[in-house]
Amino acid sequence: MSSENWTFNKQNDAQKYKATIPGTVHTDLFQNKLIPDPFFGANEKQLQWIEHENWEYETYFPLSKVEFQNQNIDLEFDGLDTYATVYLNGKVVLEADNMFRKWVISAKSYLKKDNNHLKIVFHSTVKKGKEEAEKLPYTLPENERIFVRKAQYQFGWDWGPRFVTAGIWRKVQLKFWNSAKIENVRYDQKVLNAEKALLDFIFTIEVQKSGKYQIYFGAKQFHFNLKKGINTVKIPIEIKDPILWWSNGLGIPHQYAFHFQLQKNNEKLDEKQLKIGLRTIELIQQKDDKGTGFAFKLNGKMVYMKGANYIPPDSFLPRVKDSTYKSLVANAKKANMNMLRVWGGGVYPDEAFYDACDANGILVWQDFMFACAMYPGDKKFIKNVKQEVIYQVNRLQNHPSLALWCGNNENDEGWHNWGWQKQHSYTKSDSMQIWNDYKKVFREVIPNTLDSLVSKEKNVYWSSSPSIGWGRKESMTQGDSHYWGVWWGKEPFEIYKTKVPRFMSEYGFQSMPNIETLRKVVLETDLNFNSEALKNHQKHPIGYETIREYMERDFIVPTKFEDYIYVSQLLQADGMKTAMEAHRRAKPYNMGTLYWQFNDCWPVTSWSSLDFYGNWKAFHYQAKRSFENLLISVNEENEFYKVYLINDNFETYSDKLTLKLLSFDGKILWQSSKKINVEENSSTIVFEIAKEDFSKFDLKEAVLDVRFKNASSNYYFAKPKDLQLTKPTIQVEQIDDLTIEVSTDVLAKDVYLYSENEVFFDDNYFDLLPNQKRIIKLNKPARSIKIKIIFDTLK
């Protein structure tokens, strides 16, 4: 039905306009040239009126004689945003109140042949939320957004605009069926070992008429007597010599495809296709002398988690195509990630996202959609949440990528550490009620619902991330941690070396997107820090100020705007390198690092490593290097420079480690080598250099080059602003249309390659040593290749 002719209008306005379904009112207004581009300049500010209005969508559609003869016709909405009254041929058939649920109406009795009229009135979510807020005797943090089951980020965040959308945001269709239909299918993994996998496929079938039915699986058929109403049946399947599903970097994410067909009297009634991966996943929380660990075990092996926090890739979700999800997940894989955390202030992504994670071996930490607030606990809200959980868990649980269900983002920490009780002057009874409501949702309703839907091997639940706030010392010794001493606390990047938790599920630092990205949403004359347009594309109140403060600590601050953007990205990449490698060096004490944040929902200065258009910032290239399965990391510790080899693979390596101290013009000042063994799944100090050994060298113009097998690392002894750099002569040789070779006569630091036709380079923002040649692949022929290096910004 999405392809029918739809119109929309502001309620009580006679003028109707063409609508796109799925869609949102904002994008429909823009397509009809009724509002300017919401992302451009400071337009966001003049579009806030939209959220206060009610909006009507309608269409007329015919039904053929053949269609009308079906016993059952269901009207299915995969997503209504959010408070919607649905009229079918003038009668109210649905009152929806949750963006995250599928809504199904048994519609045959309301339909007629020929012309049918479907109308949906979307009521202002903001007004509805405020009405609910007024019913409470106290104020909950975050105002109206927490009362509505809707994407929370759309109310504005410190990286996102405020666009409180409305509309038919996912597919709408009529489903015709007779006798019976398959409502749901899931599987339980009863046995999994090297010899066999025993699975139970569990079908929920709605039956119109009692009788004998068959489910076909390949050549096999299974017979069932089904009664009218909802039936649950089970089919056991054995797979011999099963192939396991592995995460990225550790093996093949193998999947088995199944096709089931429901029949009666040799007539096909319904069918389901399912792809599954055979694997075991456990969250191991083992006590030790330092606290309690937090680690994932996949197929019996402890796996170090490397990845990021994913947010919705657009403020207007229906614009996000399957190809966008595939591209995002591909970019995670290319950066050597094996986990993405779906953050709780967004939405449960489309199926294409999870399919891509399944196919690429990217494990998913799945938050339920609650973030940075306290939520109500009345019966209506609880019932709504439970139905949301049932729908989403049934939809997602068969994906092998799904590793963890998490109740919320930072609600627990916010309650205990953010001063809400004092801010809102809660009485003792108010506080008790709010906390009891919290426990009801996140420690009772969600986990109990999960228990009823998901078999033991797929049911890993964590009530809140983080478990303890970053200001408390226990956050470093147990559970997962969000460490914001850097950025929010303005602590130096070096603090990451000592603030290492058991599992880091959030930390980060901002940078600006490339100039090409900004030019798409900001006029050339507004590309300066005084313009309202540029300020609007920075949602943190002291964001630009914080970037500059950190930049002054480590870099010479450029005077040119374009150079400033480039250095902001280097700053972010260097800071996050410090964190990522500190976490990995601490293995197995620390068993995961998920940075904030992976992507953007609009073109903005933010913590992301990928900008809104999917361009890699310097940080994403650095993440790719710092997440290599075999990593060399050098760290200054007391009177030594210690060389760590981190090996995430399940094999031991034996080879020669070579170390060279080079001057920036390529002279060998010191060198050493050593045959070493590196154990599987380990972090080991493989070499130590006493500081006094280097005391005779000017380390401001030297770099330590360390190599082992295919891994390499360049370690600098001073901050970028203190390095004694000289101007390099960089050569770029075209090997073929999609391959170049880059070389230099002296150290070229932070080489950034770009071209006027927006070419993607598979390596970028790298350091190039003298007499070193680097082969780089391009995604398309470059019109002309330009180079920027840190030396250029010192002028």
Side-chain angles (χ1 to χ4, degrees):
M1 288 192 65
S2 300
S3 59
E4 300 290 343
N5 291 321
W6 286 84
T7 61
F8 82 106
N9 59 278
K10 190 166 73 171
Q11 194 173 42
N12 300 321
D13 278 9
Q15 180 68 51
K16 299 181 189 297
Y17 300 93
K18 181 177 170 54
T20 300
I21 307 297
T24 74
V25 66
H26 290 76
T27 46
D28 284 332
L29 287 165
F30 178 54
Q31 284 166 4
N32 284 277
K33 299 181 179 177
L34 300 171
I35 61 169
D37 182 349
F39 284 176
F40 197 86
N43 289 344
E44 174 197 357
K45 295 175 183 178
Q46 59 177 290
L47 300 180
Q48 295 309 302
W49 62 272
I50 298 168
E51 68 183 39
H52 299 288
E53 301 294 337
N54 297 338
W55 298 92
E56 297 180 350
Y57 280 75
E58 62 185 318
T59 189
Y60 292 86
F61 62 95
L63 275 182
S64 69
K65 185 178 179 182
V66 172
E67 287 172 331
F68 198 74
Q69 283 173 346
N70 284 279
Q71 292 170 16
N72 302 281
I73 307 173
D74 290 345
L75 177 58
E76 297 186 347
F77 296 95
D78 283 1
L80 291 171
D81 177 15
T82 293
Y83 288 91
T85 303
V86 179
Y87 299 85
L88 187 53
N89 290 326
K91 294 181 179 176
V92 175
V93 294
L94 173 67
E95 294 280 1
D97 61 356
N98 190 322
M99 179 180 181
F100 306 126
R101 287 171 60 182
K102 181 175 183 174
W103 301 91
V104 180
I105 302 139
S106 181
K108 173 124 190 206
S109 61
Y110 302 100
L111 291 165
K112 56 188 180 181
K113 293 175 196 171
D114 305 322
N115 215 23
N116 291 275
H117 179 222
L118 177 60
K119 177 180 172 182
I120 307 164
V121 178
F122 290 97
H123 308 280
S124 166
T125 307
V126 170
K127 288 181 180 176
K128 287 282 188 182
K130 286 178 176 173
E131 286 168 12
E132 291 300 315
E134 286 172 8
K135 295 176 184 177
L136 289 180
Y138 45 77
T139 302
L140 288 175
E142 294 301 323
N143 304 316
E144 75 271 13
R145 77 167 167 86
I146 54 106
F147 295 93
V148 297
R149 293 311 298 143
K150 174 172 174 59
Q152 305 283 276
Y153 79 108
Q154 294 179 340
F155 292 82
W157 224 267
D158 57 5
W159 38 259
R162 183 177 174 112
F163 290 120
V164 183
T165 59
I168 305 168
W169 78 283
R170 277 181 171 154
K171 185 174 63 177
V172 54
Q173 64 182 349
L174 288 172
K175 183 169 183 177
F176 304 94
W177 61 282
N178 297 294
S179 300
K181 65 174 178 176
I182 301 170
E183 279 288 340
N184 185 54
V185 57
R186 66 179 179 88
Y187 73 97
D188 287 353
Q189 197 171 270
K190 312 299 283 186
V191 174
L192 178 61
N193 56 42
E195 290 77 40
K196 64 183 178 182
L198 298 180
L199 310 174
D200 280 346
F201 283 86
I202 299 151
F203 295 80
T204 304
I205 301 171
E206 184 176 349
V207 175
Q208 186 76 19
K209 186 178 180 182
S210 299
K212 293 180 179 179
Y213 293 81
Q214 303 81 41
I215 293 178
Y216 282 79
F217 167 56
K220 293 182 181 178
Q221 55 177 295
F222 301 85
H223 298 267
F224 300 98
N225 284 315
L226 301 181
K227 297 176 181 177
K228 184 177 180 180
I230 301 297
N231 295 253
T232 301
V233 301
K234 194 180 290 185
I235 294 179
I237 288 173
E238 179 177 350
I239 299 172
K240 291 180 179 174
D241 305 318
I243 303 167
L244 297 182
W245 184 96
W246 281 101
S247 59
N248 181 34
L250 295 178
I252 295 167
H254 182 82
Q255 294 183 82
Y256 289 89
F258 296 90
H259 180 251
F260 299 100
Q261 199 174 92
L262 177 66
Q263 290 191 5
K264 181 177 174 63
N265 299 329
N266 296 319
E267 179 189 356
K268 184 178 83 170
L269 301 175
D270 204 352
E271 60 187 342
K272 286 285 181 185
Q273 296 191 32
L274 202 62
K275 270 188 170 182
I276 70 166
L278 301 177
R279 78 339 175 236
T280 60
I281 189 99
E282 302 167 77
L283 177 60
I284 306 298
Q285 297 180 77
Q286 198 166 330
K287 288 195 164 128
D288 54 31
D289 59 345
K290 296 182 180 70
T292 306
F294 189 101
F296 289 91
K297 188 183 268 190
L298 178 65
N299 299 328
K301 297 269 194 180
M302 298 295 252
V303 175
Y304 192 93
M305 294 300 153
K306 298 171 290 195
N309 286 260
Y310 160 97
I311 67 167
D314 202 324
S315 291
F316 307 115
L317 291 158
R319 298 198 299 198
V320 183
K321 306 302 179 196
D322 287 359
S323 58
T324 304
Y325 291 115
K326 288 176 185 174
S327 175
L328 283 165
V329 174
N331 283 329
K333 182 179 181 179
K334 286 173 189 171
N336 297 307
M337 296 182 188
N338 58 11
M339 179 174 269
L340 288 172
R341 174 179 174 235
V342 177
W343 171 74
V347 298
Y348 308 90
D350 287 2
E351 212 68 31
F353 170 81
Y354 299 96
D355 289 344
C357 288
D358 294 343
N360 288 282
I362 305 297
L363 288 159
V364 175
W365 170 316
Q366 178 66 58
D367 282 5
F368 289 97
M369 293 301 120
F370 303 87
C372 304
M374 299 304 282
Y375 288 80
D378 58 274
K379 285 183 181 177
K380 185 181 176 185
F381 187 83
I382 293 287
K383 184 181 177 184
N384 200 354
V385 167
K386 184 172 181 176
Q387 291 306 311
E388 172 188 324
V389 172
I390 289 169
Y391 171 62
Q392 293 296 345
V393 170
N394 280 334
R395 180 172 80 95
L396 302 177
Q397 67 163 295
N398 294 323
H399 289 282
S401 57
L402 216 149
L404 179 78
W405 307 92
C406 180
N408 65 71
N409 173 78
E410 297 185 346
N411 297 11
D412 190 310
E413 177 182 3
W415 179 252
H416 288 106
N417 298 322
W418 294 358
W420 286 334
Q421 288 95 314
K422 188 176 179 182
Q423 179 188 339
H424 296 290
S425 304
Y426 294 140
T427 65
K428 189 175 180 181
S429 64
D430 290 343
S431 290
M432 192 178 294
Q433 179 66 52
I434 294 165
W435 183 242
N436 284 338
D437 287 346
Y438 173 91
K439 290 192 290 185
K440 195 187 301 177
V441 174
F442 301 109
R443 297 185 183 177
E444 294 174 27
V445 172
I446 292 178
N448 292 345
T449 306
L450 269 168
D451 287 343
S452 72
L453 299 171
V454 178
S455 57
K456 190 177 178 184
E457 91 281 353
K458 291 191 282 186
N459 190 0
V460 184
Y461 179 70
W462 190 241
S463 64
S464 185
S465 179
S467 48
I468 301 169
W470 62 267
R472 292 167 58 189
K473 63 180 182 181
E474 296 89 350
S475 71
M476 295 294 127
T477 60
Q478 64 189 69
D480 70 315
S481 181
H482 295 186
Y483 190 72
W484 286 105
V486 172
W487 185 265
W488 284 101
K490 292 196 176 177
E491 294 172 346
F493 288 129
E494 288 75 17
I495 199 76
Y496 281 133
K497 295 181 181 183
T498 54
K499 296 290 188 179
V500 177
R502 308 312 293 257
F503 192 105
M504 188 76 96
S505 46
E506 265 194 39
Y507 61 98
F509 194 86
Q510 281 196 354
S511 73
M512 300 177 73
N514 292 345
I515 190 97
E516 293 81 11
T517 291
L518 289 175
R519 281 181 175 137
K520 290 174 181 172
V521 291
V522 177
L523 292 171
E524 196 74 27
T525 51
D526 283 333
L527 289 173
N528 63 79
F529 291 108
N530 295 318
S531 79
E532 280 305 306
L534 196 70
K535 286 176 184 175
N536 194 52
H537 288 265
Q538 161 63 279
K539 291 302 182 183
H540 191 278
I542 55 166
Y544 285 136
E545 174 190 312
T546 305
I547 292 171
R548 187 175 186 94
E549 184 175 323
Y550 275 85
M551 194 183 291
E552 286 169 349
R553 295 177 193 176
D554 290 1
F555 288 83
I556 295 171
V557 179
T559 53
K560 291 182 183 174
F561 185 76
E562 217 167 314
D563 289 347
Y564 192 96
I565 289 174
Y566 160 72
V567 173
S568 83
Q569 292 198 19
L570 300 181
L571 175 70
Q572 180 192 36
D574 280 7
M576 294 302 93
K577 176 180 189 281
T578 302
M580 290 183 284
E581 298 193 6
H583 302 156
R584 293 194 63 194
R585 286 195 301 268
K587 178 182 176 174
Y589 179 85
N590 171 281
M591 283 300 289
T593 179
L594 308 178
Y595 63 76
W596 185 269
Q597 69 204 64
F598 182 56
N599 60 314
D600 282 324
C601 69
W602 75 317
V604 65
T605 294
S606 80
W607 294 265
S608 69
S609 63
L610 294 172
D611 77 15
F612 175 70
Y613 300 106
N615 300 310
W616 289 31
K617 296 183 183 178
F619 178 17
H620 207 78
Y621 287 98
Q622 184 57 56
K624 180 183 178 183
R625 291 189 277 267
S626 292
F627 283 166
E628 287 280 3
N629 269 15
L630 196 61
L631 174 73
I632 298 168
S633 182
V634 181
N635 191 41
E636 180 183 351
E637 298 176 23
N638 300 319
E639 298 307 309
F640 292 90
Y641 300 109
K642 296 186 179 181
V643 180
Y644 288 75
L645 250 169
I646 298 101
N647 179 16
D648 286 349
N649 292 310
F650 299 142
E651 58 180 303
T652 298
Y653 295 106
S654 181
D655 211 331
K656 188 165 75 171
L657 178 80
T658 63
L659 307 96
K660 293 178 183 177
L661 184 69
L662 301 173
S663 64
F664 289 168
D665 61 1
K667 292 189 183 71
I668 298 173
L669 307 175
W670 172 95
Q671 62 182 327
S672 186
S673 64
K674 178 185 175 185
K675 183 80 180 286
I676 61 169
N677 292 315
V678 183
E679 294 298 318
E680 66 171 279
N681 210 10
S682 66
S683 172
T684 313
I685 298 169
V686 293
F687 205 93
E688 295 185 6
I689 304 164
K691 285 185 177 178
E692 62 186 38
D693 291 351
F694 287 175
S695 60
K696 60 186 175 184
F697 306 117
D698 184 353
L699 296 180
K700 290 182 179 178
E701 51 187 44
V703 56
L704 181 64
D705 180 46
V706 189
R707 295 172 186 270
F708 177 80
K709 296 188 79 65
N710 294 325
S712 64
S713 174
N714 296 328
Y715 179 79
Y716 297 91
F717 301 87
K719 292 180 180 291
K721 69 179 181 181
D722 297 321
L723 295 176
Q724 301 298 306
L725 299 171
T726 55
K727 184 174 176 61
T729 301
I730 300 172
Q731 303 286 336
V732 178
E733 185 182 335
Q734 194 89 33
I735 294 175
D736 58 43
D737 281 353
L738 300 177
T739 314
I740 59 172
E741 180 184 88
V742 189
S743 58
T744 181
D745 58 341
V746 300
L747 171 71
K749 186 139 186 23
D750 299 312
V751 177
Y752 167 46
L753 305 167
Y754 60 106
S755 97
E756 58 190 41
N757 59 326
E758 297 188 16
V759 168
F760 172 74
F761 300 85
D762 75 345
D763 197 5
N764 217 337
Y765 299 94
F766 53 82
D767 296 343
L768 195 60
L769 299 178
N771 306 314
Q772 181 189 71
K773 292 182 178 176
R774 191 170 293 229
I775 303 292
I776 294 169
K777 294 287 185 182
L778 289 61
N779 71 328
K780 61 184 177 184
R783 213 168 288 149
S784 67
I785 294 174
K786 299 174 183 177
I787 300 173
K788 191 187 289 289
I789 54 174
I790 195 70
F791 185 86
D792 298 336
T793 70
L794 307 179
K795 298 168 189 173

